[in-house]
Amino acid sequence: MTMTLTDLYPSRGAAEVSVPRQDPVVWSAPGEPGPIEVADLQSFERDGFLSIGQLIDDDEVAVYHSELERLVSDPAIRADERSIVEPKSQEIRSVFEVHKISEIFARLVRDERVVGRARQILGSDVYVHQSRINVKPGFGASGFYWHSDFETWHAEDGLPNMRTVSVSIALTENYDTNGGLMIMPGSHKTFLGCAGATPKDNYKKSLQMQDAGTPSNEALTKFAEAHGIKLFTGRAGSATWFDCNCMHGSGDNITPFPRSNVFIVFNSVENTAVEPFAAPVRRPEFIGARDFTPVK
């Protein structure tokens, strides 16, 4: 007898829907030891994010930034399907599955300062659902429109529950002018199911310019009025952890100052992907992993 998994978060239907979050934000037991202090964990539960002024030091930043530069200048990497280019400039925008392409970034994923926080938030062993470097060079790199990652990962990758956390580690200075990350604090407590069916191979377009899975202006206005908008700035080596259901985005970078980061998505081994909830086919594994091996 086949068990049917209940869809707690319907999306991509005829109309936009708003559903209260059905899952915890912090999954570990109260008082369970870990690298995140109790007060910071409570802040994460309330706001949906946690910023760290210096996760990695200057010498480490130099190593990771050098590796980023090596990857984006490698013609073989550019030709790889895991590289996404800017529609206008044709410069590399993102390189996915970077922890499998680069042993240097693989070591970062295994670093206890990184994976230890993910385990503490998610209350279990974790695996990498997605990793990438985001390259936002100056003079016109385009932003990422407002969205909830979970809406996409649920609809198109088949993640059943909100038991996934992302970390964005800055490899260049994040100013308030060069297209930094913006989050609506507290928005993670409400799931916004977007209207409109998912086209086949939607990822090919959405990784350059979001379309399916985009909230309406009306919904975004209500969210912004209710939650406000937090813009993240910080030096290279800083990091921001954020819940999978945070409403977030970033603007274009029209300054001369690049903004690059490494982005790692950890999912609980108890929340492994099933078939997509609202898409005709799965996305490729370099975008939504089907290897659920715990990070050790």
Side-chain angles (χ1 to χ4, degrees), residues 199-263:
K200 186 179 179 182
D201 290 341
N202 177 56
Y203 76 94
K204 292 180 180 178
K205 182 179 179 183
S206 68
L207 295 178
Q208 291 183 326
M209 190 65 68
Q210 190 86 358
D211 189 9
T214 302
S216 69
N217 290 350
E218 292 77 16
L220 288 171
T221 299
K222 288 179 181 178
F223 266 54
E225 288 174 345
H227 303 294
I229 296 172
K230 163 74 173 175
L231 170 65
F232 294 86
T233 58
R235 56 173 301 192
S238 62
T240 301
W241 294 83
F242 58 102
D243 179 83
C244 59
N245 192 46
C246 284
M247 190 63 68
H248 67 289
S250 64
D252 295 350
N253 182 13
I254 61 171
T255 75
F257 310 114
R259 176 186 170 266
S260 299
N261 61 64
V262 55
F263 183 80

Side-chain angles (χ1 to χ4, degrees), residues 6 9 28 79 86 108 202 212 223-224 237 295:
T6 301
Y9 303 106
S28 59
E86 289 279 355
L108 181 63
N202 177 56
F223 266 54
V295 176

Side-chain angles (χ1 to χ4, degrees), residues 26-41:
V26 175
W27 290 74
S28 59
E32 192 169 314
I36 306 175
E37 300 290 338
V38 172
D40 288 337
L41 211 54

Side-chain angles (χ1 to χ4, degrees), residues 15 25 75 77 88 144 156 180 194 221 234 256 293:
V25 177
I77 297 295
K88 292 182 180 178
F144 292 85
E156 300 186 38
C194 298
T221 299
T293 306

Side-chain angles (χ1 to χ4, degrees), residues 128-278:
V128 176
H129 176 70
Q130 185 186 104
S131 73
R132 66 179 186 260
I133 47 174
N134 286 333
V135 185
K136 216 175 206 184
F139 299 119
S142 54
F144 292 85
Y145 197 69
W146 290 106
H147 63 286
S148 153
D149 287 329
F150 179 75
E151 192 278 338
T152 297
W153 298 338
H154 182 70
E156 300 186 38
D157 296 339
L159 296 191
N161 296 97
M162 295 180 183
R163 199 170 180 179
T164 315
V165 67
S166 301
V167 59
S168 176
I169 304 171
L171 300 182
T172 55
E173 184 90 11
N174 282 238
Y175 300 104
D176 58 3
T177 52
N178 66 339
L181 173 68
M182 296 181 287
I183 293 179
M184 298 185 187
S187 59
H188 63 304
K189 298 291 184 73
T190 304
F191 175 74
L192 188 65
C194 298
T198 309
K200 186 179 179 182
D201 290 341
N202 177 56
Y203 76 94
K204 292 180 180 178
K205 182 179 179 183
S206 68
L207 295 178
Q208 291 183 326
M209 190 65 68
Q210 190 86 358
D211 189 9
T214 302
S216 69
N217 290 350
E218 292 77 16
L220 288 171
T221 299
K222 288 179 181 178
F223 266 54
E225 288 174 345
H227 303 294
I229 296 172
K230 163 74 173 175
L231 170 65
F232 294 86
T233 58
R235 56 173 301 192
S238 62
T240 301
W241 294 83
F242 58 102
D243 179 83
C244 59
N245 192 46
C246 284
M247 190 63 68
H248 67 289
S250 64
D252 295 350
N253 182 13
I254 61 171
T255 75
F257 310 114
R259 176 186 170 266
S260 299
N261 61 64
V262 55
F263 183 80
I264 308 162
V265 181
F266 293 102
N267 189 39
S268 169
V269 296
E270 299 171 12
N271 187 45
T272 53
V274 296
E275 290 305 310
F277 285 86

